[in-house]
Amino acid sequence: MPPVDAPHLALSVGFWSDQFVNGLTTGSLYALIALGYTMVYGVLKMINFSHGEVFMLGSFAGYGVLAAMGGDDISGVMVAVTILAALIGAMAVSAGTAAVVERIAYRPLRNAPRLAPLISAIGVSIFLQYLVLDQTDARAKFYPDIFPRGDFSAGPFDITYIQTFLIASSLAMMVFLYVIIQRTRMGRAIRAVAENPANASLMGVDVNRTIVMVFVLGAAMAGVAGVLHGLFFQTIRGSMGFLPGIKAFTAAVLGGIGSIPGAVAGGYALGLAETVGRELLNELPGVDLGNQWRDVIAFSLLVTILIFRPTGIFAERASSRA
Amino acid sequence: MAAGALSVRGLGMQFEGLSALADVSMEVPAGEIHGLIGPNGAGKTTFFNCLTGFYRPTAGELWLDAQRVDGLPTHVLSALGVSRTFQNIRLFANMTAIENVLVGSHIHIGVGGTDVLTARRPSKYAALERMLSLRGAPRAALQGVVELAGAVGRPPAVRRAEMEAVNTARTLLGAVGLAGKENALARNLPYGDQRRLEVARALATRPGLLLLDEPTAGMNPQESAAMVGLIRRIRDQFETTVVLIEHQMRVVMGVCERITVLDYGRKIAEGTPAEVQRDTRVIEAYLGTRAVKEAGDGSP
Amino acid sequence: MNPMRQLGDSTVGRLPGAARWPLFLALVAMLPFLLSDVWIQMLFFVGLFIVLGLGLNVVVGFAGLLDLGYVAFFAAGAYSLGIMTSPGSPFDLDMNFWLVLPLGVLIAASFGVLLGLPVLPLRGDYLAIVTLGFGEIIRLFLVNREDVTAGSQGLSAIARPEIGSFQIETFTHWFYFILIAAVIVGFIASRLRDSRIGRAWEAIREDEDVAAAMGVNKVKYKLMAFAIGASVGGLGGVLYASFIGFINPAGFSLQVSIDVIAVVIIGGMGSTPGVILGSLVLIGFPRILQFKETADFLGKFEWLRDGLNGIVAAFDTVIPGSIGRLPAASEWGRELADDTRFIIFGALLVAIMVLRPEGLVPSRRRQLEFETEDLPVPAGGAA
C-alpha cells in the first residue's frame, strides 16, 4: 500500500477518497482470491488452505512471462500484449497447479475423517511455499515497472492507471465467472454438485470432473489476482500467499462462505475496512493504528464475525456435518 | 431419574421457508410408551431433533415435567433426562462397546463437580448471552481445573466413581443382551447388536424421557420381538417415558399405549392403537385417497 | 489400576508395557554419558519438541481439533519469561525462574481459553484458520509493541533455573531438565486420555453432536483440550527461552507451528511413541545434518557432486536453460536441513494423509479408526 501512510490529513476530502480508492484496489484482490475459497467450500465443505499458494504461484508465473518477454525493456503496444500474456500464463499455471493438487492431495481424502483433507491442504501449502522460497533463495522478485503512470481525476477521486486497470480487470473476471456459473452447462453442473453431490451424480453429472473445474476456475481467478498484485505492488516473494490467503478467506466468511456474490462483497468490504475503516478508528481519541496493524484488523474482523454471526452467515444448521 | 412427562405445545420448525413441523401439540404422561408414526418425510426425526436440541424450534414450546426446555443446548437437555437413539446408527464407531456406554454415563461419573447446567433458556441474542455467561467463568474454570486434577491425580474417589460407572455399564450391556461383548469395537458389532448398544448408551444417561428412532429398523421378526420386550422392560425397570418412531406396524401396535400420527409436519391423529388404526385420515395419509374410498365402499 | 486400561487392553497384557517405559527412560537417561555436547544439545531440542508435541497431541490427537497457531502459546511462554526476567526488558522485573514458570504456563493457558472461547463452538475448520491467523498476529505484536516486547532487538540474558545453589547450565543439565518435563507432560497426557475427560474427547472427535446428546458439554471439553495444549506450549516456551537465553520475534514464526504439527501428525496422531519418533526424525535428524561432523563426512562425497553436476551440465547443453548446479557436498546437510526441510514436511503431511493417515507409530485407536469400513464386520476381530 504505497500511498497510505501520508501525513495525517484528517477530514481532508482528498485523503478519504484516496483511502477509498486504496480500499477498492486491495478489495478487488481479496475478492478475486476469495472466490476460490468460497467455490471450493461450496462444493466440498473444505477450507482449501493451499489457495494462497496458488495465488502466489500465479504471481510468479506472471513474473516469469514478463521477464521472458523483455522485462523492463517492454514498451508501447507490447506492454498490453505482454500483460495479457502474463495474465494468461498465470491463469494456466495456477489452474494447472490446483488441478494437480486436487488430484493428488484432496481427491483420495474425500471420504476420509474431516481432519485429513485439512491437514493435507496445509501440507500442500507448506510444500508449495517453501519450494518457491527455496528456488528464489527466499529473496523478493520485482515486477518490471512497465505500466504507464498517470491518473484519472473524477471529482475528489484520483485513480492511477494501474488501479483502474486492476479494479476493472478484477470486475471483468468476476463477471466472466458469473456468466460461466449461471449460463453454461458446466456452471449448472457446479451448482448441482454444490447443492447435492449424490443427486448430481444420479442426474448424470461427472462429479469428479466438476470438482476439478471448481478448483480450476477458482485458481484462475487467484492467478489473475497474483499478476495484478505483482503489477501494483511490484514486490513478490515466496511467502506472499499467506496473508492474502487468510484475508481472502476472511472476506469469504464475511460475505457468507459458499456464496459467490458474498465473496465479492466480502472482499470489497474487507479492503475498505482495512483502509477507510482503520483511518476512521484513528479518528477516535487515543487510537493510533499504524499500517502494521492492518493485518490485525482483518483477523479481528474474522473472529468478531465468527462470534456474532456464526450460523447466520453460513446458512447451515447445528447437526449438519461435512 | 424418574419418568418425565413431555408436553409439546404448538411446535414448529422451519428451514429456509420450508416448514418441516407446524403446530404440533401432544401430551405424553410420565411412564407412557408413545408411538410416533407417519409416512417418510412426515417430520418425525425433525421432531426428535427439536426435542434433543439438535434443532432449535422456530415456534412453540417444549415442557419436560414443569420446566420449559425448548432452545436449551443438547448436553443440558441430556442432563435434564432427554436421551435418544438414531435412525442411522450413530455409535462412537471406534470406541469399544463399554466405552460407548461410559460416554453415556459421563455426567454421572461425578468427579470434580458436574458440568454447569445453564438451564436458562438463551435469548435470541446467543452471542450476547455467551458474553454474559462469562460471569460464571471463574467458577467454571475452577471446576475445570478440579476435574483435570482429579483425572491426573486419580484419588480414591475418582477411581471409585470410575469403577462404579464400569459396573453400571456392564449391567446395562447385560440388560440389552450384550454381555461378553464389552471390549468389541462398536463398528465391529453386528447390526442388531449396534442397535441394542445405542439403547444401552442412551440408558446410561439415566433418561426420564427416552426417544427411540426406529429401534427395529433392519431387524428380522425375532429380533423385533425381542426389541419390543426390551422396550417394555426398560420402561418398567428404568422408569422412563418412551417415545418411539417406528415403521413396523406390528411393533407400534404391540408396544405403544398411545400413538401420534404426523403427516407433512402436522399432527393428523392421536389415540390408542385401535383408534388410530380406524382413523380415515391416517389411512389416507398412508395409502392415498383412493384406498380410503375403496375401504369405505367395501365395509359397512 | 485404572479399570478402563484393564478393560481396554485386557488382551494386550499390561505387565511388559508397564516395564517398558521405565526401561526406555533409564536408557535415555544414560545418553549424556555416551554422547558429546552437540548431540546432547540436539537431544534437548528433540526433547523440547516431544514436550510440545505431547501438548499439541492432546488438541489434535485426542480431541480432534486442528491448531495451526501453536507457536502463539510457545511465544507466550517464552516472552513471559523474557519480559519478567531479562535485564533488557522494558519492565525490568528481574523475577525468579521458578516463579515465572507457572505464570508463563498460566498466561499461555489464558491465551488459549480466550482464543478458543469464541471459536470452539464452531466447526473445526474455522479453528484451523483462526489459529493460523493468531500465530501471525502474535508475531506482529512481538515485532511492533516494542514497549512490551523490546521488538526485533529481542530480550537477552533470560533467567536460568537454580535449585538452591545449583544452577542448571550445561547441556547435560538441560537434557535432564527437559527429560523430566517430557515425562511429566507425558504422564499427565496419558492420565487424561484414560479418564472420563479423555473419553469425552474421543466421543467429540468421533461425533460431536452425539457426544452432546449423551450429556458431554462439547465446548467445555474442547476448551479444556485447547487450554491444556496451550499450557504445554507455554511450558515449552519458558524452557526454550531459558535454555537459549535470548529471544526475538524471528524465532516465533509459523515454522515452529509447522514443526510441531509435523511431529504430531507424521509421528502418529494420539500416540506418545509416535510423538517421540516424530521428534527424533523431524527435529533431531535435520540438526544432525547441520553438525560440522556431518559436513566433514559429506565433504568426502565431492566426487558424487562432480558426477551429478556433470549430468546436469549435459542436460543443460541439450536443453539450454539455467538449471542450477549442486552446491558443495559439505553443504548438503545444511541445505537439506534449512528450507528444504519444510518442503519435505509439506510433502510428508500430504503423503501421510493419503497413504498412512494413522502416522508412523499409530495409537491403538487411530490405527483402527482410519481403516474405516462402514459395513459392520462380525464381532471379535479387534476385541
Side-chain angles (χ1 to χ4, degrees):
Chain A
M1 294 298 318
V4 169
D5 264 355
H8 214 285
L9 302 169
L11 296 177
S12 104
V13 177
F15 173 76
W16 289 104
S17 56
D18 279 353
Q19 293 299 333
F20 183 74
V21 172
N22 287 334
L24 285 187
T25 311
T26 39
S28 296
L29 296 176
Y30 294 155
L32 274 183
I33 308 170
L35 286 167
Y37 280 112
T38 218
M39 286 169 65
V40 168
Y41 194 93
V43 171
L44 291 180
K45 300 280 176 285
M46 167 195 146
I47 300 178
N48 179 11
F49 276 106
S50 64
H51 195 57
E53 268 53 61
V54 167
F55 155 79
M56 176 270 291
L57 285 176
S59 202
F60 271 89
Y63 169 81
V65 171
L66 289 176
M69 291 177 74
D72 280 321
D73 302 331
I74 305 166
S75 61
V77 194
M78 279 309 285
V79 170
V81 176
T82 32
I83 288 179
L84 192 66
L87 287 170
I88 292 170
M91 284 201 276
V93 168
S94 289
T97 311
V100 171
V101 165
E102 193 275 336
R103 186 69 195 82
I104 294 176
Y106 300 158
R107 194 181 300 177
L109 298 173
R110 218 172 277 159
N111 296 314
R114 138 189 98 61
L115 220 50
L118 223 52
I119 292 169
S120 188
I122 286 290
V124 172
S125 172
I126 296 168
F127 175 80
L128 292 176
Q129 180 176 335
Y130 281 95
L131 192 65
V132 173
L133 279 173
D134 192 59
Q135 293 303 309
T136 57
D137 287 327
R139 277 197 279 274
K141 301 267 179 204
F142 300 94
Y143 262 57
D145 191 6
I146 52 172
F147 209 89
R149 288 168 193 279
D151 50 20
F152 300 111
S153 286
F157 295 102
D158 282 325
I159 310 180
T160 60
Y161 291 157
I162 173 75
Q163 283 179 319
T164 316
F165 175 71
L166 191 154
I167 296 171
S169 42
S170 305
L171 287 173
M173 287 306 290
M174 294 171 207
V175 170
F176 172 64
L177 179 72
Y178 186 78
V179 171
I180 290 184
I181 300 281
Q182 294 297 332
R183 297 285 153 81
T184 64
R185 260 180 80 88
M186 190 213 300
R188 252 201 323 276
I190 290 174
R191 279 179 290 144
V193 172
E195 193 72 34
N196 184 334
N199 280 354
S201 160
L202 284 176
M203 314 251 267
V205 174
D206 183 341
V207 173
N208 278 338
R209 219 179 70 107
T210 310
I211 289 175
V212 172
M213 281 320 297
V214 166
F215 274 90
V216 162
L217 283 174
M221 301 290 139
V224 170
V227 175
L228 295 176
H229 180 104
L231 288 171
F232 184 66
F233 292 102
Q234 303 210 322
T235 318
I236 61 170
R237 56 178 81 235
S239 55
M240 69 186 278
F242 180 72
L243 273 178
I246 289 196
K247 289 185 186 177
F249 177 79
T250 305
V253 173
L254 200 60
I257 194 152
S259 145
I260 288 176
V264 174
Y268 284 109
L270 182 61
L272 290 173
E274 280 188 358
T275 51
V276 180
R278 178 169 65 90
E279 292 303 335
L280 280 175
L281 285 178
N282 277 343
E283 291 297 313
L284 297 172
V287 179
D288 183 19
L289 295 171
N291 201 24
Q292 67 273 24
W293 295 110
R294 237 157 41 106
D295 308 332
V296 182
I297 291 183
F299 180 75
S300 317
L301 207 58
L302 176 62
V303 173
T304 315
I305 313 159
L306 290 179
I307 298 175
F308 284 98
R309 293 212 47 195
T311 47
I313 279 170
F314 314 122
E316 274 182 71
R317 256 315 281 161
S319 72
S320 55
R321 303 192 317 139
Chain B
M1 187 171 288
L6 172 70
S7 170
V8 181
R9 302 175 191 169
L11 189 73
M13 183 72 218
Q14 294 229 326
F15 296 104
E16 292 172 34
L18 203 92
S19 176
L21 286 176
D23 197 27
V24 174
S25 297
M26 64 201 266
E27 299 286 332
V28 184
E32 182 173 277
I33 299 181
H34 194 101
L36 192 61
I37 63 171
N40 281 328
K44 303 179 299 276
T45 297
T46 307
F47 180 75
F48 274 16
N49 285 341
C50 288
L51 283 184
T52 46
F54 280 31
Y55 298 154
R56 196 170 194 195
T58 47
E61 299 176 5
L62 292 169
W63 291 75
L64 193 67
D65 295 321
Q67 189 175 5
R68 183 166 171 193
V69 297
D70 54 278
L72 288 176
T74 303
H75 70 274
V76 175
L77 279 163
S78 168
L80 291 174
V82 183
S83 194
R84 73 177 289 184
T85 66
F86 296 85
Q87 181 184 354
N88 48 335
I89 300 172
R90 282 170 82 174
L91 287 164
F92 304 118
N94 300 296
M95 298 171 81
T96 61
I98 196 159
E99 283 172 340
N100 268 275
V101 180
L102 284 169
V103 173
S105 32
H106 178 82
I107 65 162
H108 302 294
I109 308 177
V111 287
T114 45
D115 304 359
V116 194
L117 294 185
T118 42
R120 227 159 21 93
R121 299 176 51 254
S123 70
K124 264 166 100 178
Y125 306 99
L128 207 66
E129 282 271 326
R130 243 189 288 152
M131 309 278 276
L132 288 176
S133 73
L134 285 179
R135 278 178 314 181
R139 198 167 64 111
L142 189 68
Q143 277 185 333
V145 170
V146 170
E147 185 177 345
L148 286 169
V152 175
R154 230 177 248 172
V158 171
R159 273 186 228 180
R160 208 176 317 118
E162 183 83 2
M163 206 74 85
E164 276 166 21
V166 170
N167 286 335
T168 316
R170 282 179 188 280
T171 316
L172 283 172
L173 284 173
V176 299
L178 287 174
K181 297 190 177 169
E182 284 88 353
N183 295 330
L185 281 189
R187 65 189 178 82
N188 290 340
L189 287 172
Y191 186 80
D193 285 357
Q194 293 192 352
R195 285 238 174 261
R196 282 194 289 274
L197 179 55
E198 266 208 328
V199 174
R201 183 180 66 180
L203 283 175
T205 68
R206 303 185 196 167
L209 173 64
L210 180 62
L211 309 174
L212 302 174
D213 199 342
E214 301 199 24
T216 68
M219 286 186 169
N220 63 34
Q222 289 93 326
E223 286 176 322
S224 295
M227 182 57 86
V228 166
L230 178 63
I231 293 170
R232 284 216 190 85
R233 271 214 319 281
I234 286 170
R235 192 262 309 266
D236 298 340
Q237 275 183 18
F238 297 89
E239 294 182 354
T240 64
T241 311
V242 178
V243 177
L244 72 146
I245 295 174
E246 193 47 77
H247 276 299
Q248 295 192 42
M249 280 307 137
R250 202 176 25 210
V251 174
V252 182
M253 297 306 161
V255 72
C256 297
E257 285 142 3
R258 284 195 320 134
I259 293 170
T260 298
V261 190
L262 292 182
D263 190 24
Y264 290 112
R266 293 180 174 277
K267 184 171 90 172
I268 58 167
E270 192 170 54
T272 64
E275 284 165 7
V276 165
Q277 260 174 321
R278 283 196 303 269
D279 194 305
T280 47
R281 292 184 62 189
V282 177
I283 301 168
E284 196 177 316
Y286 266 87
L287 301 171
T289 340
R290 205 152 49 90
V292 179
K293 279 186 190 141
E294 283 165 13
D297 294 343
S299 58
Chain C
M1 278 316 290
N2 172 25
M4 274 322 302
R5 274 295 109 187
Q6 288 172 357
L7 284 168
D9 294 325
S10 53
T11 53
V12 181
R14 294 303 295 167
L15 214 125
R20 227 180 285 148
W21 281 112
L23 200 68
F24 173 72
L25 289 173
L27 285 174
V28 171
M30 282 175 2
L31 286 174
F33 300 101
L34 308 171
L35 297 170
S36 66
D37 265 3
V38 267
W39 284 86
I40 297 302
Q41 189 193 15
M42 179 275 282
L43 285 175
F44 170 82
F45 280 100
V46 170
L48 178 67
F49 276 85
I50 289 175
V51 169
L52 296 173
L54 287 172
L56 187 64
N57 199 20
V58 171
V59 184
V60 180
F62 293 177
L65 306 165
L66 191 53
D67 178 355
L68 299 175
Y70 204 55
V71 67
F73 310 123
F74 183 64
Y79 267 87
S80 296
L81 187 70
I83 289 169
M84 291 186 224
T85 68
S86 163
S89 140
F91 297 98
D92 197 19
L93 297 168
D94 200 17
M95 287 163 72
N96 182 285
F97 172 88
W98 295 109
L99 200 62
V100 184
L101 179 70
L103 272 179
V105 171
L106 206 64
I107 289 169
S110 326
F111 270 117
V113 171
L114 288 180
L115 183 67
L117 214 50
V119 188
L120 287 173
L122 307 172
R123 288 177 33 136
D125 325 19
Y126 294 118
L127 182 74
I129 195 113
V130 169
T131 48
L132 189 63
F134 187 65
E136 184 65 15
I137 299 295
I138 282 280
R139 208 183 53 78
L140 282 172
F141 181 87
L142 297 181
V143 176
N144 291 317
R145 287 304 299 270
E146 286 172 20
D147 50 336
V148 182
T149 65
S152 47
Q153 75 182 66
L155 295 162
S156 54
I158 294 169
R160 299 203 145 182
E162 292 170 20
I163 306 165
S165 58
F166 177 75
Q167 192 162 22
I168 295 181
E169 256 173 344
T170 67
F171 287 139
T172 307
H173 295 166
W174 275 105
F175 171 81
Y176 285 116
F177 197 35
I178 202 82
L179 181 64
I180 293 167
V183 169
I184 293 173
V185 172
F187 174 77
I188 291 176
S190 83
R191 277 292 172 96
L192 289 176
R193 186 193 56 204
D194 298 337
S195 70
R196 81 163 191 157
I197 299 174
R199 249 184 343 251
W201 285 334
E202 205 171 347
I204 289 170
R205 199 181 67 206
E206 290 269 316
D207 189 332
E208 61 174 67
D209 295 324
V210 177
M214 294 305 127
V216 175
N217 182 344
K218 59 184 180 186
V219 177
K220 171 182 158 185
Y221 285 95
K222 283 183 185 178
L223 205 52
M224 242 183 210
F226 207 62
I228 288 177
S231 322
V232 176
L235 172 72
V238 170
L239 297 181
Y240 169 78
S242 181
F243 170 79
I244 219 86
F246 166 79
I247 50 174
N248 69 354
F252 299 91
S253 65
L254 182 65
Q255 297 186 349
V256 179
S257 299
I258 299 176
D259 273 333
V260 189
I261 275 277
V263 163
V264 171
I265 288 166
I266 296 171
M269 271 185 276
S271 150
T272 302
V275 168
I276 295 171
L277 185 71
S279 187
L280 270 172
V281 174
L282 303 177
I283 306 298
F285 188 64
R287 285 187 175 270
I288 295 175
L289 286 178
Q290 286 169 307
F291 285 178
K292 200 182 150 298
E293 290 87 336
T294 315
D296 293 345
F297 175 73
L298 285 171
K300 293 177 192 155
F301 291 89
E302 201 60 32
W303 55 269
L304 183 61
R305 176 207 179 210
D306 292 340
L308 288 172
N309 272 343
I311 299 172
V312 173
F315 262 112
D316 234 12
T317 47
V318 179
I319 314 158
S322 53
I323 304 176
R325 300 296 192 277
L326 288 169
S330 55
E331 295 286 296
W332 287 359
R334 218 176 41 75
E335 288 274 323
L336 205 61
D338 225 19
D339 282 350
T340 319
R341 173 163 63 115
F342 291 102
I343 304 179
I344 297 170
F345 281 12
L348 271 180
L349 283 177
V350 177
I352 286 272
M353 279 302 111
V354 174
L355 304 173
R356 194 181 159 83
E358 68 273 19
L360 297 176
V361 189
S363 72
R364 184 178 65 103
R365 287 259 186 277
R366 278 287 159 188
Q367 183 178 21
L368 295 163
E369 179 175 340
F370 278 102
E371 296 164 4
T372 304
E373 265 180 73
D374 282 348
L375 296 170
V377 184

